[in-house]
Amino acid sequence: MTTQRYERLYEKIDASLKDRSASDALLRCMKRGRDTRAAALETLPGGTAFRNDVRKAKERCIEDLPRLKKQFIENVEKRGAKVFEAKTPADVIKYCIDLAKERGATHLAKSKSLTTEEIELNRPLMDAGIDVVETDLGELIIQLVNEKPFHLVFPSVHKMAPEVAKIFEKATGKPVEGNIPSIMKVVRKYLRPIFLNAEIGMTGANIGIAETGAICIETNEGNARNVSSIGKCHICVMGMEKIVETIEDAMLMILAHPVSASGQLPTTYVTWMHGRNPLGEGDGKNARESHIIILDNGRTEMRDDPDYRESLYCIRCGACMNVCPTSGIVGGHTFGHIYPGPMGICWTAAVHGLETAGNFAPLCISCGLCKEICPAIIDMPHMIAEIKHRDAKKHGYPLPNKVMMGADKAARLGSVTAAVANFSLNTRAIRKLMDKTIGLSADRNVPPFTYPTFMQRFKDHRLKVVAPQRKVAFFVDVYANYNDPDLGMAAVRQLEALDCEVVLPPQDASGYPFIAYGDLDRARKTAAGNVAKLFPYANQGYDIVSIEPTATYSLAESYPHLLKNNNASRRVADHTHELFEYLNKLEEDTGNAPMSRSLKGRKFGFHIPCHQRALGSGHGAIEWLRRRGAEVEVIETGTCCGMGGTFGLKAGLLGHKLSMAVGDALFDLFKAAEIDAIVTESSVCKIQLAEGTGLEVFHPLQLL
């Protein structure tokens, strides 16, 4: 299924899947970033607790940004530096060209600056006769081949050493051996005269400090320190959102940036600049100057838009890219415009336009992992859903997405007509027709439908708990209702065996596909409807228990966001529990464990679904299995299995093919593990893992 709008996107995805060399290099780098981050957090007092502090600091500083910007400017100017507030990219370009002409400068050395990349500053400067050279190694490589960064932090990660050697052979006119030590020797020799002879040095700034007027630049190569200090004139181009209130705020960011990006504590070079000293004056030439350009370029509008405001909390660490499953396969040239990755969708929409962001927003499969790793806990999944929503107001929804958003209705029909529906799902010719017409992949195994449904069976369920210790409102969602009612009934029996009174409130499906594909009108309607139905039970002391991770995530995380944290949504969220953490707590409280089959001597590989990472990361199910004698090993790559809810059910490149490519690394880990079977609580991850590994995959309840 293709549309004219996405033809270029399909071409890029197809090219990435056919030649995996770039993505393999990127995936190795991403994994190294995740692993070193995890190792660093083990040694950091409080572990990930710093994220809450970063969040609070950014919330406070963005709220007070007009005052802090004014204070920052006043203190910068007191130190003798010059400040220019630029509303648009054109303002920055004109200021820099005019300054270069005024100083008679034709050579400009740059350190890595995402803000100058945002406005594509290099080209107009070069067109004005200014020789611009990037001095960060990754950025220099990208400049020499006229590409955009492949990753926010590792811009040239897709270039292997032999190719880089050829690039510098062309740049220097001399042979370069294709190994890293030889390349680095050549690069140092290449850059040294550029540092020494540049008339203007240009950097960005990681932080601006309002109370002192200082800027802070963090690097690992030291090039920014050379660029900002050797030449007579330094220009810093920074986004206004980089301004924080205090030195303490800045120190917090200096911790958060490197540990989130690459697990460092801190970067190799942390440069603090408070204006410039007057060295070099008196020789009859231009005095040493420092110019700080504060860029708006849509940031004021972002701050005023409640759906985009959190974008300004971004500290440009690239952690979201290190965990994004589809970005790891296609890279920043496909998953991005100038800013790549999940946050790239948000920033592209704000500074380069909704249309541009909409061209690659479908690559977000709404796994939610970006929020779980973000040092500022930015709710990227829901921001991206808003961008998809606004984009769809103009362009509509592709047919496969419409089909997936109607999955609950299709399942209801499939259950009523189970014999016919299951025959169709198992008939190759019909599946191929569905692939071509509605976008349901012919290559994807779809679980059979069952009749009667769980809800119908529960009506006939007669067991009454005589002296209930807890009251449970059971939330069933789609799969356990229409595809596997036995699973739902097994959960009910476990709860009742622990003296719970279980009721089944009126309810609709969780509606998460509406969020994933950006139909937020229906997402809010579904959230409001389910909250209205569940709120009375929460108020009466019922605990809400769900067995599907995405449904639990919807109740606990998504509904409060969609309903602006109103009292009812928060009440429902606070009363929502995952099944196994709830069962374990009941067993501990009662000292009783229901009789069940022993799993002693069996070893299982456990898969944590993405949405479960925001909940209990599967710890409840793992503990529950271990209490029954099982040996359980968590097997993971640190990112998604690739299914992405209903994303992996769709046909083609923006569906099954990309989904399976994302899952390849995880499939290999499971196949290499010495396990009896795979266990996961997600119905859709179960489909993906069974297809990708050929192993048996069970829900924990199915092992009883």
Side-chain angles (χ1 to χ4, degrees), residues 60 86 132 158 189 194 198 251 253 257 311 349 387 451 569 645 649 653 658:
R60 169 171 45 82
V132 179
H158 60 304
K189 188 174 182 179
I194 291 169
M251 294 299 291
M253 302 306 155
H257 287 144
S311 296
I387 289 164
Y451 188 84
S569 66
L649 294 175
L653 292 164
L658 182 55

Side-chain angles (χ1 to χ4, degrees), residues 199-275:
E199 295 148 313
I200 296 176
M202 179 177 286
T203 70
N206 295 94
I207 312 161
I209 307 169
E211 72 173 357
T212 65
I215 61 171
C216 179
I217 307 170
E218 302 166 65
T219 66
N220 280 316
E221 298 175 23
N223 58 309
R225 188 167 289 184
N226 288 331
V227 164
S228 61
S229 60
I230 293 176
K232 290 286 188 71
C233 181
H234 170 230
I235 301 174
C236 168
V237 183
M238 60 180 288
M240 59 196 288
E241 80 284 0
K242 299 292 183 67
I243 299 172
V244 299
E245 185 171 12
T246 66
I247 292 176
E248 288 77 14
D249 292 331
M251 294 299 291
L252 180 59
M253 302 306 155
I254 288 170
L255 164 69
H257 287 144
V259 75
S260 303
S262 59
Q264 288 179 275
L265 294 169
T267 52
T268 307
Y269 298 91
V270 178
T271 302
W272 301 82
M273 297 189 69
H274 301 74

Side-chain angles (χ1 to χ4, degrees), residues 24-34 151 154 157 322:
D24 287 346
L26 178 58
L27 287 169
R28 287 193 297 271
C29 187
M30 290 167 59
K31 185 177 187 304
R32 186 166 62 248
R34 294 193 302 269
H151 185 283
F154 319 111
V157 66
N322 286 347

Side-chain angles (χ1 to χ4, degrees), residues 61 75 86 157 159 185 237 284 299 324 326 561 605 643 687:
C61 293
N75 285 325
V157 66
K159 302 293 185 185
K185 185 176 180 180
V237 183
R299 287 160 173 80
C324 177
T326 50
H561 176 90
M643 190 65 175
I687 298 169

Side-chain angles (χ1 to χ4, degrees), residues 234-386:
H234 170 230
I235 301 174
C236 168
V237 183
M238 60 180 288
M240 59 196 288
E241 80 284 0
K242 299 292 183 67
I243 299 172
V244 299
E245 185 171 12
T246 66
I247 292 176
E248 288 77 14
D249 292 331
M251 294 299 291
L252 180 59
M253 302 306 155
I254 288 170
L255 164 69
H257 287 144
V259 75
S260 303
S262 59
Q264 288 179 275
L265 294 169
T267 52
T268 307
Y269 298 91
V270 178
T271 302
W272 301 82
M273 297 189 69
H274 301 74
R276 304 197 89 193
N277 65 41
L279 291 176
E281 289 187 20
D283 60 0
K285 297 181 181 179
N286 289 329
R288 287 164 59 85
E289 291 182 352
S290 179
H291 297 254
I292 297 179
I293 301 174
I294 303 174
L295 178 66
D296 188 322
N297 195 30
R299 287 160 173 80
T300 296
E301 288 77 10
M302 292 165 73
R303 182 176 174 272
D304 293 339
D305 187 329
D307 293 315
Y308 281 5
R309 186 179 181 122
E310 284 192 38
S311 296
L312 296 174
Y313 302 166
C314 176
I315 64 172
R316 307 297 197 279
C317 66
C320 59
M321 288 197 72
N322 286 347
V323 78
C324 177
T326 50
S327 178
I329 298 299
V330 301
H333 292 169
T334 301
F335 199 139
H337 173 57
I338 291 174
Y339 287 117
M343 184 50 76
I345 297 175
C346 308
W347 270 86
T348 299
V351 302
H352 296 119
L354 182 63
E355 185 78 14
T356 303
N359 289 337
F360 65 94
L363 285 167
C364 170
I365 61 176
S366 203
C367 66
L369 294 179
C370 47
K371 180 183 177 183
E372 300 312 307
I373 202 171
C374 175
I377 321 178
I378 298 171
D379 197 345
M380 284 172 265
H382 287 107
M383 273 202 295
I384 294 170
E386 176 64 32

